[in-house]
Amino acid sequence: MTAVPLPPLPQGRLPRRVPVRQVLCLLPLLLVAVVAVRHRATLAEGFGQLRTAEWPWLAAAAGATCLTWVAASFTRQGAVVERLPRLRLLATQFAAGAANHLLPTGLGAGAVNLRFMSVCGVPLARSSAALALYLLAECVGRLVLLAALLIAFPGALHLGTLVPQDALLPLGAAVAALAVTAALVLACVRRLRTAARGFLRTALGEARSVHARPARALALWGGSLAFPALQASGLVLVGQALDLPVAPAHIAVAYLAATVAVALVPTPGGLGSVEAALVVALVAAGGPAAVATAVVLAYRILTVWLPLLPGAVTLGALVRLKVI
C-alpha cells in the first residue's frame, strides 16, 4: 500500500516578538511624559521664573549642576576597587539622575548603577556593598557639610520655623520604633539574619579594600563632599539670579537642611516634597515667601526638569548599547 502524502499545513505568519530591551529603551521617555503632564502647572510657573532671571547666574548654576555628575562619578569609582570605564561611568551617572527622578528616591539610581557594575564584571554581592558604601559616604558628606556650616554660621537657620518643637518627639518615636522593629525581625528570622550578616561581612571587606588605596578613598570622600556642595552652590547661584535677599552661606545651610529632612520621604526624586521643604527652609533663613518660591521653582527646573529628557534618552541608549 502506497502512502498518500498529506497536503502541507497552511503556514500563518508567526507573531513577531517585541524585544524586551527595546521596550526598556522607550520606557524612560514614557515615564518622563507622564511625570511632566502631572506637574505641568509647576513646569509652566518655573519656566516663567527663568525668563525673569539674570542669565549669567543661571549659566553658572547650570555649570554647577553638570559638575554634580562628575562628583557622583568620582564617588562611585571610589566605592569599588575595580577601575570603571570613565566615559561610560559619567554617562551612567547622568542617566541615573533621570532614573532617580522617575522612581522612588535612590531606587532608580541604585538599580542603574548596580546593573552598570554588573556589566563591568563586579559580582552582585560586591556591587551591592559598593552601593551601600556610596550611600553611606554621601549621607556622611552631606551631614558633615551641614554641621560645618551651622558651626560657622549658627544664626543661618531658625530651626523652630523649619521643624516645630511638637514634631520632634513623634519623629524620634517613629525612628526608634522603626529601629526596634528591624532588630526584632532580624532576631526572629534566621535566614534574613544570615543574609544580613553575610552582606555586612562583604561590605566591611569592600570598605577595607577601598580605603587601602589612597586614590579610591580620596575619590570616595572627596566626591561625597563635593556633590552636596555643588548642589547647594546651584541654589545659591539661582538665588543670586532672582535677587533673593539671603546671604549665600545661609542659602547653602537651608538647602542642606531641607534635603536631609526630605530624604525620609520616599517620593520619586523628591518631586513635590523637595520643593516644599526648600521653600520652608529659605523662609526660615530669612527670605520672603514669594521670592523663595520663585527661586525654588527656577532651581528645580534647571536641575531636574531640563536634564530629565536628555537623561532619559541617555538611559535608553545605554540600555540599547548594553552598557547597563
Side-chain angles (χ1 to χ4, degrees):
M1 237 178 123
T2 58
V4 179
L6 296 174
L9 294 174
Q11 298 205 356
R13 298 186 67 181
L14 294 176
R16 187 177 179 181
R17 191 173 60 180
V18 179
V20 176
R21 188 170 291 275
Q22 188 173 354
V23 174
L24 291 176
C25 293
L26 299 176
L27 185 59
L29 298 178
L30 178 61
L31 290 175
V32 168
V34 171
V35 173
V37 169
R38 289 182 58 191
H39 294 82
R40 57 186 179 276
T42 303
L43 284 171
E45 190 173 353
F47 277 111
Q49 299 298 340
L50 286 179
R51 284 198 297 268
T52 64
E54 298 179 24
W55 285 99
W57 292 111
L58 289 183
T65 301
C66 293
L67 288 176
T68 59
W69 302 315
V70 178
S73 300
F74 272 93
T75 313
R76 297 284 183 188
Q77 176 60 87
V80 67
V81 174
E82 286 85 352
R83 179 179 289 277
L84 303 174
R86 296 178 182 176
L87 291 179
R88 280 185 282 171
L89 176 61
L90 181 60
T92 301
Q93 300 321 302
F94 182 49
N100 215 35
H101 295 303
L102 299 173
L103 296 173
T105 305
L107 292 182
V112 168
N113 279 285
L114 277 177
R115 179 60 185 165
F116 173 67
M117 287 187 282
S118 175
V119 171
C120 291
V122 183
L124 180 60
R126 291 186 50 240
S127 60
S128 301
L131 178 62
L133 181 58
Y134 168 86
L135 293 174
L136 176 63
E138 204 275 335
C139 180
V140 170
R142 193 173 295 269
L143 289 173
V144 166
L145 194 59
L146 175 60
L149 286 174
L150 282 175
I151 292 171
F153 306 96
L157 203 62
H158 304 292
L159 293 178
T161 307
L162 185 61
V163 182
Q165 293 295 326
D166 55 357
L168 291 176
L169 186 59
L171 181 60
V175 172
L178 186 62
V180 170
T181 303
L184 287 175
V185 170
L186 286 175
C188 296
V189 183
R190 183 178 179 182
R191 183 175 296 179
L192 187 60
R193 186 170 66 251
T194 303
R197 192 178 296 139
F199 175 78
L200 184 60
R201 192 162 43 241
T202 302
L204 290 175
E206 191 71 13
R208 281 195 296 269
S209 300
V210 164
H211 287 88
R213 302 187 175 204
R216 292 289 187 271
L218 180 62
L220 176 66
W221 294 107
S224 66
L225 284 171
F227 184 74
L230 288 166
Q231 287 182 319
S233 300
L235 184 61
V236 169
L237 292 166
V238 174
Q240 295 295 316
L242 289 170
D243 295 323
L244 179 67
V246 179
H250 294 195
I251 297 177
V253 170
Y255 173 82
L256 293 169
T259 52
V260 167
V262 86
L264 301 174
V265 183
T267 57
L271 293 176
S273 57
V274 168
E275 285 88 346
L278 282 175
V279 170
V280 172
L282 289 176
V283 171
V291 184
T293 303
V295 168
V296 169
L297 288 174
Y299 174 74
R300 293 292 278 175
I301 288 289
L302 193 65
T303 59
V304 174
W305 293 104
L306 287 180
L308 193 57
L309 182 58
V313 171
T314 303
L315 180 60
L318 292 178
V319 170
R320 188 173 184 82
L321 296 172
K322 300 183 179 180
V323 174
I324 58 175

